Amino acid sequence: MAAAGVAPALALLAPWAAAQSSAQFLPSPAQFDQLFPERIAFYSYEGFAQAVRQTPAFAARGSEQQKRQEMAAFLGQIAHESDQLKAQREYRRENWGLYCRQGPGESCAPGQQYYGRGPIQLSWNYQYKAAGEALGLDLWADPDRVARDATVAWQTALWYWTTQPGVAPQSAHEAMLAGKGFGATTRAINGVIECDQGADPNTLRKLNRRIDFYRRASSLLEVPLSEPLGC
């Protein structure tokens, strides 16, 4: 994910251990397996479902179609971010030491690196710190817990999705509720790197890959696409 400011967790999403909303939409285990046939064991359906239940606002608001559209958008985005749930850690090791932002009130723990981990590839020291504070954990001192603890990995992905806007006006969760389309979720996740870059071939490839995964998820969940698809 691109560097951006970190928004505070939304009060409506706390506490993380809240009971599942009766209105929440969840894909079936068979649908999850069909969408991620090569996923590694770390990313289990049970872990995913548990994290969803602990995030009561996610895929729980608006019409049934809106709930399914949000779920499809989330699944499409994590399919791209985590290489279809095969990557616990960012593949490009040469980038691992690049995610330390220093500034007022910001620093990096000695010996720690803040490269992408988990379903949404949480990145940067300040995001690990904020995610840990929301979850009651010290992920600033131990960022690799996101790649070792599957429960935490899923929780950080849903924390980012529901509360963090990145460089966008609102989080991916809020954008879907407002009908802003799938493209707005890409802007919230990786807007600096992938949005507003013109016709750069590599950027277009990444954007189209996200859209392709979203199309698959939407088809599987039998829900119309939320447009615009591009950011």
Side-chain angles (χ1 to χ4, degrees):
M1 288 180 291
V6 176
L10 298 176
L12 59 88
L13 299 174
W16 277 87
Q20 178 190 16
S21 166
S22 60
Q24 231 171 351
F25 172 77
L26 261 176
S28 69
Q31 289 172 321
F32 191 77
D33 288 344
Q34 186 174 344
L35 193 60
F36 302 109
E38 299 178 3
R39 62 182 170 82
I40 60 176
F42 182 79
Y43 294 118
S44 70
Y45 175 82
E46 293 75 16
F48 160 71
Q50 180 182 12
V52 170
R53 294 185 184 106
Q54 293 173 341
T55 314
F58 174 66
R61 300 195 166 192
S63 66
E64 181 65 19
Q65 176 172 299
Q66 285 177 302
K67 297 169 194 173
R68 287 173 177 259
Q69 284 178 324
E70 180 176 13
M71 181 61 73
F74 176 77
L75 294 175
Q77 291 288 13
I78 66 170
H80 172 81
E81 289 281 308
S82 67
D83 190 22
Q84 301 177 77
L85 296 183
K86 292 183 288 186
Q88 287 171 256
R89 298 174 176 86
E90 183 175 339
Y91 287 156
R92 299 186 65 179
R93 295 180 66 95
E94 65 271 21
N95 291 341
W96 281 14
L98 303 180
Y99 299 95
C100 178
R101 189 173 78 177
Q102 303 277 4
E106 294 181 337
S107 62
C108 296
Q112 300 301 320
Q113 295 177 311
Y114 301 91
Y115 54 83
R117 298 174 175 90
I120 213 163
Q121 293 289 279
L122 186 70
S123 307
W124 295 94
N125 52 314
Y126 56 91
Q127 289 184 345
Y128 276 91
K129 185 175 187 294
E133 289 173 351
L135 298 173
L137 304 169
D138 189 354
L139 297 180
W140 177 81
D142 184 14
D144 202 56
R145 183 168 179 178
V146 178
R148 300 192 317 268
D149 187 327
T151 297
V152 173
W154 282 115
Q155 288 176 333
T156 59
L158 284 165
W159 166 81
Y160 191 93
W161 179 269
T162 52
T163 69
Q164 301 304 298
V167 298
Q170 55 199 168
S171 70
H173 167 70
E174 293 169 315
M176 292 301 294
L177 282 178
K180 297 294 181 65
F182 178 74
T185 70
T186 300
R187 185 172 293 278
I189 292 171
N190 215 18
V192 169
I193 296 175
E194 294 182 28
C195 298
D196 307 321
Q197 297 297 316
D200 173 67
N202 188 50
T203 299
L204 291 175
R205 179 187 63 80
K206 293 177 181 177
L207 290 172
N208 287 331
R209 187 170 183 259
R210 290 182 190 272
I211 292 170
D212 286 345
F213 283 134
Y214 172 54
R215 289 183 184 276
R216 293 184 207 174
S218 296
S219 177
L220 186 64
L221 300 183
E222 300 180 330
V223 66
L225 298 171
S226 180
E227 297 183 346
L229 302 182
C231 62

